[in-house]
């Protein structure tokens, strides 16, 4: 099963933030590390797809005043999700092995 | 309403010839009201030099200012401060997020997800309201909401197409 770049980022963020991965923390985590912030809509659309495939699970969290009484949705990565992520990252590693970057020190 | 969090603040970086260090609060969703306890000496990993605080009372709303003495020449400084941070809840008057986005998002996502998305947008709005003021926070709120719509629309269309195909071609997961 192939993952898009955003799906890879989301799964890595969920893994890294465990057990506090919810929309805002995921967006900030990705922004801090890649310099680009995915929109709220694209995050939730992709998470919806990942949950449908069984790669992540969601559970409702607490509602706070600063969220206007709306509850957080926490995400955790499942075993098939971890396996797919590992395979996807290994494929990238395999593809990039032996590459020489122009201008890089030898 | 306020709640007290206990956080270990860490700073790691090159001090250069810095005489003043700024340690941000770990989460920008917090506002420091007081810092009640901290360590008064720091160890550098490179040469075990201890740095004493000159003024241990400096802190701002967003973080803690440490005024360090004889910091010149010390590299890769690791600082740990134990601090009790009282994180104030934001004021609720005049910082209500704009209405309207809720309707749009509820149309395009399940209730649970729409609620979470609206909550996320509200949370960001509350932070930006405190940081930039209402006008800019409202602009950012709407920019974020409008940017969110295309992926949600595509997702909704995709689900609809799958449902229609399943119905007309007799495909069923059951």
């Amino acid at each position: 099963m192939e993952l898009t770049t955003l799906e890879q980022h989301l799964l890595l963020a969920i893994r890294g933030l465990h057990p506090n991965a919810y929309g805002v923390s995921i967006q900030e985590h990705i922004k801090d590390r890649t310099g680009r912030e995915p929109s709220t809509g694209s995050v939730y659309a992709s998470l919806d797809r990942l949950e449908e495939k069984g790669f992540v699970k969601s559970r409702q969290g607490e509602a706070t005043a600063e969220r206007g009484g709306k509850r957080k949705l926490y995400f955790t990565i499942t075993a098939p999700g971890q396996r797919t992520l590992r395979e996807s990252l290994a494929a990238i590693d395999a593809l990039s092995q032996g590459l020489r970057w122009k201008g890089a020190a030898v | 309403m306020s709640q007290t969090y206990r956080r270990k603040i860490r700073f790691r970086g090159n001090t250069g010839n810095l005489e003043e260090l700024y340690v941000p609060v770990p989460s920008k969703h917090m506002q420091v009201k007081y810092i009640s306890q901290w360590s008064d000496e720091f160890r550098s990993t490179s040469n075990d030099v201890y740095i004493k605080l000159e003024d241990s009372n400096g802190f701002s709303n967003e973080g803690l200012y440490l005024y360090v003495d004889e910091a010149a020449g010390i590299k890769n400084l690791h600082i740990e401060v134990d601090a009790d941070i009282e994180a104030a809840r934001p004021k609720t008057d005049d910082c209500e997020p704009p209405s309207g986005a809720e309707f749009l998002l509820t149309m395009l996502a399940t209730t649970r997800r729409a609620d979470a998305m609206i909550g996320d947008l509200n949370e960001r709005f509350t932070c930006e309201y405190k940081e930039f003021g209402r006008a800019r926070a409202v602009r950012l709120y709407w920019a974020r909401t409008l940017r969110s719509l295309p992926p949600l629309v595509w997702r909704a269309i995709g689900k609809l197409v799958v449902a229609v195909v399943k119905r007309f071609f007799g495909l069923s997961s059951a």
Side-chain angles (χ1 to χ4, degrees), chain A residues 10 20 23-24 33 42 46 49 57 59 64-65 67 70 75 87 91:
Chain A
L10 289 171
N20 297 314
V24 174
R33 281 152 184 84
S42 60
S46 295
R49 213 163 23 239
K57 276 194 309 193
R59 66 174 170 84
T64 59
R67 293 176 60 83
K70 303 290 183 190
F75 292 89
E87 286 167 6

Side-chain angles (χ1 to χ4, degrees), chain B residues 90 143 154 162:
Chain B
W154 278 115
V162 169

Side-chain angles (χ1 to χ4, degrees), chain A residues 22-24 27-28 31 37-42 44-52 58-60 64-73 75, chain B residues 28-29 89-90 92 96-97 102 105 110-124 126-127 130 144 147-149 151-152 155 159:
Chain A
Y22 72 102
V24 174
Q27 279 177 288
E28 286 178 351
K31 189 185 176 187
E37 184 182 314
S39 72
T40 308
S42 60
Y44 277 93
S46 295
L47 287 171
D48 190 35
R49 213 163 23 239
L50 288 170
E51 192 163 18
E52 207 172 77
S58 64
R59 66 174 170 84
Q60 281 194 310
T64 59
E66 66 175 4
R67 293 176 60 83
K70 303 290 183 190
R71 298 169 76 141
K72 291 178 183 174
L73 204 55
F75 292 89
Chain B
K28 56 186 173 186
H29 307 303
R89 284 189 189 280
T92 49
E96 290 295 320
E102 197 161 339
L105 296 173
T110 59
T111 313
R112 215 164 75 118
R113 283 192 203 289
D115 267 6
M117 272 189 281
I118 295 158
D120 286 355
L121 290 168
N122 290 348
E123 191 177 324
R124 304 290 286 267
T126 307
C127 290
K130 280 167 34 184
R144 212 166 262 132
R147 214 178 131 221
S148 289
L149 294 180
L152 294 172
R155 180 72 184 140
K159 280 183 159 179

